[in-house]
């Protein structure tokens, strides 16, 4: 994926460079950055437009069916497990994982910029989630909540942040030069955490399934766009060197 992104960026750069070859050589990079920002804006706008159908009968039936199925599996063991998992998808959980990953990035890989990139991704996910919740203003399910929650429902902040944070870690680890026997379990653990955090919010009665899906979609958007922008910045730095 990283090579494909770089090829696309270089193609765009060559195309834009031809159009602006008599101007500042940095203009192509600026234009590509603007295009990336526009993609974010259009993506959020499209996402908000899509969510206007949240009150449709079809989606309501989907939410009800999936929720009822998950709630039929409630038991003390699963409840303790999902409360633990949903806590992993909260502030202290991310601080713990971020600290471990940052130490590995800095001490082992000597790449402190990966830690910075991870911070940027999660900040973007958290801030945009707050904005989207206020715009959409969807109330929580009228079910028994097994954990205390006060914010709005759509999109799920836990699902969106989990997808952005662990999704970006998956992207990073996928491209690390490390033993596949070690790399694969790490990626699978991150994928499992994303899925578990999403399911936990439905199980605990604080989200509709469509909240989780919306959160996952929004999180994926940030992973892809941040990967694009970070690769663009890397190519810019390399091409700027004499």
């Amino acid at each position: 994926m990283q090579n494909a992104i770089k090829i696309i960026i270089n193609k765009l750069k060559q195309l834009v460079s031809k159009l602006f070859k008599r101007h500042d050589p940095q203009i192509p990079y600026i234009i590509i950055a603007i295009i990336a920002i526009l993609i974010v804006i259009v993506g959020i706008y499209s996402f908000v437009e899509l969510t206007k159908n949240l009150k449709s009968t079809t989606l309501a039936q989907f939410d009800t069916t999936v929720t009822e199925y998950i709630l039929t599996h409630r038991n003390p063991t699963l409840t303790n497990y999902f409360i633990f998992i949903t806590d992993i998808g909260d502030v202290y959980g991310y601080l713990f994982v971020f600290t471990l990953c940052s130490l590995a990035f800095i001490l082992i890989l000597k790449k402190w910029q990966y830690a910075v990139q991870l911070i940027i991704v999660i900040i973007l996910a958290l801030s945009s989630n707050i904005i989207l919740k206020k715009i959409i203003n969807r109330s929580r399910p009228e079910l028994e909540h097994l954990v205390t929650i006060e914010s709005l429902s759509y999109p799920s902040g836990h699902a969106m942040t989990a997808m952005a944070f662990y999704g970006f870690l998956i992207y990073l680890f996928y491209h690390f030069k490390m033993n596949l026997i070690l790399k694969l379990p790490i990626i699978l653990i991150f994928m499992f955490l994303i899925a578990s955090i999403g399911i936990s919010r439905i199980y605990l009665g604080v989200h509709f399934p469509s909240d989780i899906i919306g959160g996952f979609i929004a999180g994926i958007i940030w992973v892809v766009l941040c990967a694009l922008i970070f690769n663009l910045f890397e190519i810019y730095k390399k091409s700027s060197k004499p």
Side-chain angles (χ1 to χ4, degrees), residues 58-117:
T58 303
L59 190 56
Q61 183 58 49
F62 168 79
D63 282 339
T64 300
T65 301
V66 174
T67 299
E68 288 179 349
Y69 174 78
I70 291 176
L71 295 189
T72 57
H73 293 81
R74 275 186 175 179
N75 62 67
T77 302
L78 274 180
T79 298
N80 291 333
Y81 168 74
F82 280 122
I83 289 176
F84 171 74
I85 284 294
T86 210
D87 286 340
I88 290 179
D90 220 327
V91 177
Y92 294 111
Y94 288 117
L95 284 175
F96 177 74
V97 177
F98 173 77
T99 300
L100 289 181
C101 290
S102 295
L103 289 174
F105 296 156
I106 296 170
L107 300 179
I108 300 176
L109 300 176
K110 311 298 181 183
K111 296 286 187 178
W112 58 267
Q113 59 265 36
Y114 291 150
V116 175
Q117 290 175 0

Side-chain angles (χ1 to χ4, degrees), residues 76 113 120 148 166 170 172:
Q113 59 265 36
I120 293 173
T148 303
Y166 291 112
I170 290 172
L172 290 177

Side-chain angles (χ1 to χ4, degrees), residues 20 23 31 41 88 90-92 98 111 114 120 126-127 157 182 193 198 200 204 206 216 226 235:
F20 296 92
H23 300 278
I31 292 176
I41 295 173
I88 290 179
D90 220 327
V91 177
Y92 294 111
F98 173 77
K111 296 286 187 178
Y114 291 150
I120 293 173
L126 286 171
S127 57
L182 179 61
L193 283 173
S200 74
L204 297 172
V206 295
F216 282 164
C226 285
I235 291 173

Side-chain angles (χ1 to χ4, degrees), residues 12-232:
L12 286 172
K13 176 193 167 186
Q14 293 171 10
L15 176 62
V16 178
S17 294
K18 289 179 181 178
L19 297 175
F20 296 92
K21 59 184 178 181
R22 295 182 181 178
H23 300 278
D24 190 327
Q26 292 187 1
I27 287 180
Y29 297 102
I30 295 173
I31 292 176
I32 294 172
I34 292 173
I35 292 173
I37 293 172
L38 288 175
I39 291 173
V40 173
I41 295 173
V42 172
I44 292 175
Y45 175 79
S46 301
F47 179 79
V48 172
E49 286 297 304
L50 180 63
T51 58
K52 288 182 179 179
N53 294 314
L54 288 176
K55 295 182 180 180
S56 67
T57 304
T58 303
L59 190 56
Q61 183 58 49
F62 168 79
D63 282 339
T64 300
T65 301
V66 174
T67 299
E68 288 179 349
Y69 174 78
I70 291 176
L71 295 189
T72 57
H73 293 81
R74 275 186 175 179
N75 62 67
T77 302
L78 274 180
T79 298
N80 291 333
Y81 168 74
F82 280 122
I83 289 176
F84 171 74
I85 284 294
T86 210
D87 286 340
I88 290 179
D90 220 327
V91 177
Y92 294 111
Y94 288 117
L95 284 175
F96 177 74
V97 177
F98 173 77
T99 300
L100 289 181
C101 290
S102 295
L103 289 174
F105 296 156
I106 296 170
L107 300 179
I108 300 176
L109 300 176
K110 311 298 181 183
K111 296 286 187 178
W112 58 267
Q113 59 265 36
Y114 291 150
V116 175
Q117 290 175 0
L118 197 54
I119 290 176
I120 293 173
V121 171
I122 197 166
I123 288 176
L124 289 172
L126 286 171
S127 57
S128 60
N129 181 260
I130 293 172
I131 295 171
L132 289 171
K133 281 181 182 288
K134 289 185 178 297
I135 293 174
I136 299 163
N137 194 32
R138 189 186 200 187
S139 300
R140 296 277 176 175
E142 295 181 356
L143 300 169
E144 178 190 5
H145 295 180
L146 300 185
V147 291
T148 303
I149 196 74
E150 296 179 357
S151 62
L152 295 167
S153 190
Y154 185 94
S156 166
H158 274 70
M160 185 171 172
T161 308
M163 181 60 76
F165 183 82
Y166 291 112
F168 193 74
L169 281 176
I170 290 172
Y171 164 77
L172 290 177
F173 274 87
Y174 177 78
H175 293 99
F176 288 160
K177 295 180 179 179
M178 56 190 298
N179 194 304
L180 184 62
I181 297 177
L182 179 61
K183 179 191 293 189
L184 185 58
I186 291 175
I187 291 176
L188 289 176
I189 288 173
F190 290 152
M191 293 173 66
F192 178 77
L193 283 173
I194 293 171
S196 292
I197 289 171
I199 295 172
S200 74
R201 307 306 285 170
I202 303 172
Y203 180 92
L204 297 172
V206 295
H207 275 296
F208 298 102
S210 53
D211 296 339
I212 307 305
I213 294 173
F216 282 164
I217 293 172
I220 289 173
I221 290 173
W222 280 122
V223 171
V224 173
L225 289 178
C226 285
L228 174 66
I229 293 171
F230 295 149
N231 276 279
L232 174 63

